[in-house]
Amino acid sequence: MPQINVGKILTLLKEHNLLVTSDLSVNLGADFTQVTYDSRQVTEQTLFFCKGNFKVEFLESAQAKGAQAYVSEQRYETNLPAIIVTNIQQAMAVLGAAFYDFPQNKLNIIAYTGTKGKTTAAYFTNSIMQQRFTGQTALFSTINTVVGNKTDDTFKSSLTTPESLDLFKNMDRAVNNEMQQLVMEVSSQAYKKDRVYNLKYDIGVFLNISPDHLGKNEHPTFADYLHCKEQLLVNSKVCVINAETQHLRDVYGAAKATSQPEDIYLFARKGAEITDNIPVDVEFEAISDTLTDNVISVSAVSEKAKQLNLTGQYELSLPGDFNEVDATAAIITSALSGLSQDDIRMGLQSTVVPGRMETYETNNHGTVYVDYAHNYASFHSLLGYLKSQAPNGRIIVVTGSTGDKGEDRRYGIGKAIGESADVALLTVDDPGTEDPAEIARTIADNIQNTAVKHEYVADRKTAVEQAIEMSTPDDLVVIAGKGHDPYQKINNQDVPYESDSVIVKQFVKGM
């Protein structure tokens, strides 16, 4: 059973220059058998963390349920002993890892970051790893968290990268379930909020960077966003970088800050122009790229890459040139982890990403795609590719944009629709406390292409069904943004929603 004593707590906090003062120094042998920031999870012998938008009522509730002490950046009016720290998020990460006996050291961790592609790359890698480490590979993704092989070991993720206490708890559960490998996504917010403070990865992958997650509740500037993304490379033993990313010079510099050149691998599409002619180690190119067939050729260029034995052709289960970057990253990380070409080929061919390019055929209408695309980069890639595959038909899009965060996404989505779509039905997509009609109006104002027909449809299910109904056999219909999400975030509530996938499946079946 996990536990941690006062002496170890104070030692760790001092080592990380986090400790201000403690009321517990006279009882160094006392044990805590639970750590949490959620008062609803408190049991006896709990160490309670006061974090975020904290209310003193949470602490009072925790004390009533048996909490023995609290950790905070400030002292509260209570007789409960306090440990005061300079940074509560960093303290949570340090103590959470120790409480669960540093489970990260018992796993081979492959971590992905990027504005787009994290989830697809993670699922490609997970599918490959399962070829050799069947039932021994954990997955922490935006969509699902997988910590074992039983039914209740797979559950929907609430955040791309969860709070540190939850993250280490999930790692510990994976270790107890005899997992050996962990494939995970790491968001910029995870570094901004210190959720992964002091966490190290065996392999860290930087896929790309473009403006996103900028706003009052996220990153104040693009420079801050880039800095947070780069921290994954700073904290990785081996770094893999898409050399076609924007700001490559900065990204490459971040990797070199803590990794030797022989532990940094760069890859790019064959013939791509690379910043400052920085040499790449692996190249790839498309052999076949249609809606039903996607094959790439991968070639090792540098001597160290040749040692990985990855040169060859690979068939991908997902269409789209934008998936080729993610697949190549997965090929490299898997080869670095010792998997064979046969393992890699089987994994790439069998990858299924819930809510990513899910395809639904209709009898007398267009082909429908459900995808999580939610910003300019992902919309631009997805719609541009589908447009090239539908010379005789229209691209019909159903989308919205989230409220209370990522305001820049609205401008980007509108821009991408103007570039490649023909019809757009704008609707609700996790509006939070904002008016979804206003969000849609901002998207519409940025379409900037008078040839694109667009309208606002308040009910998302109606918009989905309307888009499919209006399509003809040559058209491609894109339902973007929510995928398998079973709720809408409205006014701080999770309102049940059937999910795009379920609505499309049922409507197409009944046509």
Side-chain angles (χ1 to χ4, degrees), residues 237-252:
K237 297 176 185 176
V238 178
C239 300
V240 178
I241 302 170
N242 173 14
E244 294 181 75
T245 185
Q246 296 178 40
H247 304 279
L248 175 61
R249 187 184 298 109
D250 291 335
V251 173
Y252 188 38

Side-chain angles (χ1 to χ4, degrees), residues 266-387:
L266 291 97
F267 70 96
R269 195 176 297 271
K270 188 173 183 178
E273 294 185 9
I274 307 301
T275 300
D276 294 341
N277 293 315
I278 296 173
V280 301
D281 300 288
V282 177
E283 293 181 338
F284 71 94
E285 62 178 328
I287 301 300
S288 177
D289 183 16
T290 69
L291 291 174
T292 57
D293 190 28
N294 193 359
V295 180
I296 62 173
S297 175
V298 176
S299 301
V301 178
S302 68
E303 287 303 314
K304 65 182 180 184
K306 291 177 182 178
Q307 302 303 310
L308 300 178
N309 189 32
L310 48 67
T311 297
Q313 291 189 10
Y314 300 86
E315 180 182 347
L316 313 185
S317 63
L318 301 176
D321 52 2
F322 47 90
N323 287 318
E324 294 164 5
V325 169
D326 306 329
T328 302
I331 290 168
I332 297 170
T333 60
S334 300
L336 284 166
S337 300
L339 277 79
S340 69
Q341 280 200 28
D342 287 342
D343 292 332
I344 295 172
R345 288 194 176 95
M346 289 294 293
L348 292 176
Q349 290 173 14
S350 59
T351 301
V352 175
V353 186
R356 285 279 192 265
M357 285 294 282
E358 287 188 1
T359 306
Y360 299 87
E361 300 289 347
T362 65
N363 291 325
N364 300 305
H365 295 273
T367 303
V368 184
Y369 296 91
V370 173
D371 194 271
Y372 275 111
H374 62 278
N375 56 27
Y376 175 74
S378 54
F379 260 90
H380 172 75
S381 297
L382 175 62
L383 299 186
Y385 171 74
L386 292 178
K387 188 69 173 177

Side-chain angles (χ1 to χ4, degrees), residues 209-223:
I209 185 82
S210 59
D212 194 21
H213 298 288
L214 306 180
K216 59 184 179 181
N217 296 322
E218 297 185 279
H219 297 280
T221 63
F222 178 79

